[in-house]
Amino acid sequence: MNKILRYSLLVVLTLVSSMSFGQTTSVDNIAAFKALPSKTTATLTLKDAKVQYAKGNDIFVVDATGGINFYKSGLNYAAGQILNGTITATYESYNNLPELINVKEDKLVVTDGTITPIVMTVEEAIKTENACKLVTIKKVKAIKVEGKKGSNYFTDTTKKLQIYDRFKLEYTIDTENEMDYTGILIPFYQKMEIAPTVSPVTTGISNIEAAANDKNAPIYNLAGQRVGKDYKGVVIKNGQKYIQR
């Protein structure tokens, strides 16, 4: 047997041996994990990664290199917590949303912390590097677009950023006045969406002062204008939003 053939057989045997022992790829950060082919299982090392938001099947986590969604992970984290250590799971891209699924081993150390939304413009929010981050976009006048599956709302006439009620908050969007939106940025195919984590607030409403539990407290509409008890629609009284019929 010549040397070239013997060397080729040795390489093949080495690869088969590595596969038989089930060696797992290791990566040092979220960006490297997202660079893997979809359906790849790997051990991800997290360094001071922060939970942006957690609800239901979703846990959005961001480190210094990027963000990802721990989807149906079975883990229980809260917004603001900091994660360090390793987690072995599978990478998948769902409609361009990076996901960490099928957790096999979790060796993460969790410490408590706080999370503050990053204030961005629409132009900044649509950049792919901001995926899975918790942001606030201020003074946006949304537009309503009718489609086959119902009404969709976008942050501007160019339809750059769709407002998507992923977390089922059932909020009301004011298309007549500017609103502030706080939520998670989620890639959807070639566009970006914002999924509010709290109900959008009409700009300036949060500055209205009202005495707590005061039955005679003034009533305001979503434009911040004072209205009476005969006014019908969404109003704010004592700092709480409700529908007056």
Side-chain angles (χ1 to χ4, degrees), residues 41-216:
T41 297
T43 298
L44 165 64
T45 296
L46 293 176
K47 299 175 182 176
D48 294 328
K50 181 169 283 191
V51 178
Q52 305 289 292
Y53 184 70
K55 184 174 182 179
N57 293 322
D58 299 306
I59 304 174
F60 293 91
V61 178
V62 171
D63 70 4
T65 68
I68 196 165
N69 182 24
F70 287 19
Y71 183 67
K72 290 185 176 180
S73 64
L75 302 173
N76 186 23
Y77 299 136
Q81 289 184 323
I82 301 168
L83 311 179
N84 283 283
T86 62
I87 182 169
T88 301
T90 302
Y91 168 69
E92 181 162 281
S93 178
Y94 180 73
N95 295 338
N96 221 26
L97 170 63
E99 294 182 340
L100 180 151
I101 63 174
N102 300 332
V103 176
K104 298 183 180 300
E105 186 178 47
D106 169 25
K107 294 184 178 179
L108 294 174
V109 177
V110 183
T111 53
D112 289 334
T114 59
I115 184 73
T116 301
I118 304 169
V119 178
M120 289 187 181
T121 63
V122 172
E123 288 70 24
E124 292 169 331
I126 62 176
K127 295 179 180 178
T128 56
E129 61 262 33
N130 291 320
C132 301
K133 291 182 179 179
L134 180 67
V135 306
T136 293
I137 302 175
K138 295 186 174 183
K139 296 184 178 181
V140 171
K141 189 173 181 179
I143 63 168
K144 182 179 181 180
V145 177
E146 298 294 346
K148 293 181 179 179
K149 296 183 179 181
S151 301
N152 293 313
Y153 293 87
F154 296 86
T155 56
D156 52 39
T157 55
T158 60
K159 298 191 291 186
K160 291 181 180 177
L161 192 64
Q162 184 171 346
I163 305 161
Y164 171 44
D165 190 14
R166 182 184 181 97
F167 307 116
K168 308 302 180 187
L169 302 184
E170 298 183 356
Y171 45 74
T172 299
I173 294 178
D174 183 359
T175 57
E176 298 298 323
N177 300 283
E178 293 180 336
M179 301 190 80
D180 296 344
Y181 295 87
T182 295
I184 296 292
L185 294 176
I186 298 178
F188 183 67
Y189 292 105
Q190 301 306 313
K191 292 184 176 292
M192 193 78 80
E193 301 173 332
I194 183 168
T197 53
V198 295
S199 295
V201 178
T202 301
T203 302
I205 288 293
S206 59
N207 294 326
I208 296 173
E209 295 183 359
N213 301 319
D214 183 0
K215 294 181 179 180
N216 297 316

